[in-house]
Amino acid sequence: MTENEFRSELAARGYGEPRSYEFEPDADGELHSHEFSAMAMVTEGEFRLGFTDETRVMGVGDWCEVSAGTLHSEMAGPVGATLLVGTK
């Protein structure tokens, strides 16, 4: 997915204007949840989204949606990762 396509999808699903987030190389986050839903697309590097039963590895152009209250962890590959994230 391109950045423009992602921005259109965010708007169509009712998400706010996206912000860019950077993750350091080999960042390894703890399981947590948010009070908001998030939709994210990888713009640089490799991002790993962990759940209690699986880990999804994502590269540039891949995107995901995480509903409010979902337990997850946010991790980056060896070169780090940059994501474009919209919330609602």
Side-chain angles (χ1 to χ4, degrees):
M1 177 177 286
T2 68
E3 186 174 325
N4 285 339
E5 291 169 335
F6 181 71
R7 288 176 180 275
S8 293
E9 190 65 27
L10 284 173
R13 294 179 185 223
Y15 283 88
E17 187 65 25
R19 296 174 51 185
S20 182
Y21 289 90
E22 293 185 21
F23 292 83
E24 295 293 322
D26 297 315
D28 191 6
E30 298 289 323
L31 275 175
H32 65 281
S33 65
H34 302 285
E35 295 179 3
F36 53 84
S37 294
M39 195 166 145
M41 184 183 87
V42 180
T43 58
E44 293 180 35
E46 179 185 276
F47 184 71
R48 297 182 188 122
L49 185 61
F51 300 98
T52 55
D53 60 347
E54 71 174 311
T55 298
R56 182 172 173 201
V57 179
M58 300 168 35
V60 174
D62 292 335
W63 65 278
C64 63
E65 188 170 20
V66 179
S67 298
T70 302
L71 278 176
H72 68 283
S73 61
E74 300 160 352
M75 303 163 279
V79 297
T82 302
L83 276 66
L84 201 56
V85 180
T87 61
K88 68 175 178 179

